[in-house]
Amino acid sequence: MSSAPNVTRVTAAGVDWLASAATYPRSTLALWEERPHAPVVLPCGTVFDVVSAPAIFGRRMLDRLWDDGPGSGPVAVFRGRVLLFSAPGTAQRLPSLLAWEEWGSNRTEAVPPLLCHGTGDAVTVPAPAAGDAPGDSRWLVAPDTRHPWLPGPEVVLWAAVRAARAAVRISIFPPADQDAKVYDVSRRR
């Protein structure tokens, strides 16, 4: 069970932060004032980057961040994917860190690819009033401050590796010989 905060409503400061990413922030604020349930497409790369993961793996990453790590910034769900808002530059750096961790090797074939959205990309974010209603678009951890903490590439890598290890159970040892005798040496004096 994750200890992530139950913050599914965007605060006024969170709305300001999201709108600051838009090309025309005042127009975005006006749209949300008129239609608070309208999702909007925002550019990545200046205010935030987004790491997108399939829903189950993304939830595992989020659990690692909150149970064993520093927590997360805003996190949304959109069309079956978890959108982890991260520090600008994460989308550029994370793929090389994942490659360094042998992300695509045979050991981790079962781990889904992470999509990194940065400069030149845009993502659809849930509406401020999306709440916790089931559907295509909602906040798991809503923005609640004008300057939320956003994990960088190293923190996202840490969460992804731990989620992958929990899902795949990677071992450096060959499988045990089923006919071999096993001795418990932990009681040795």
Side-chain angles (χ1 to χ4, degrees):
M1 183 174 196
S2 176
S3 58
N6 189 12
V7 181
T8 56
R9 296 272 183 207
V10 181
T11 64
V15 169
D16 289 342
W17 174 73
L18 283 169
S20 74
T23 305
Y24 302 103
R26 290 190 315 211
S27 296
T28 301
L29 290 170
L31 170 70
W32 276 333
E33 193 171 303
E34 184 179 312
R35 297 180 53 213
H37 294 283
V40 69
V41 176
L42 294 176
C44 299
T46 55
V47 175
F48 56 78
D49 281 1
V50 171
V51 176
S52 172
I56 292 172
F57 190 76
R59 287 304 294 247
R60 286 182 183 143
M61 286 178 61
L62 188 59
D63 287 345
R64 294 293 70 75
L65 285 167
W66 282 102
D67 292 344
D68 306 326
S72 72
V75 179
V77 173
F78 183 73
R79 293 190 177 163
R81 295 191 69 87
V82 170
L83 307 177
L84 177 67
F85 287 70
S86 56
T90 299
Q92 180 181 358
R93 182 80 176 113
L94 185 60
S96 62
L97 291 175
L98 291 169
W100 183 76
E101 283 287 332
E102 300 176 347
W103 199 253
S105 72
N106 290 336
R107 294 185 316 170
T108 57
E109 280 181 355
V111 178
L114 301 178
L115 305 177
C116 299
H117 304 285
T119 303
D121 297 326
V123 294
T124 301
V125 300
D132 55 3
D136 283 349
S137 179
R138 62 188 170 94
W139 290 102
L140 295 177
V141 181
D144 61 350
T145 178
R146 184 69 171 92
H147 301 285
W149 177 78
L150 299 172
E154 295 83 6
V155 173
V156 176
L157 173 71
W158 175 89
V161 167
R162 276 156 185 79
R165 286 182 183 156
V168 180
R169 298 288 180 210
I170 299 170
S171 174
I172 61 171
F173 300 107
D177 181 357
Q178 297 301 322
D179 296 327
K181 292 187 183 224
V182 178
Y183 301 95
D184 182 4
V185 295
S186 64
R187 297 177 192 217
R188 187 182 291 172
R189 296 180 192 229

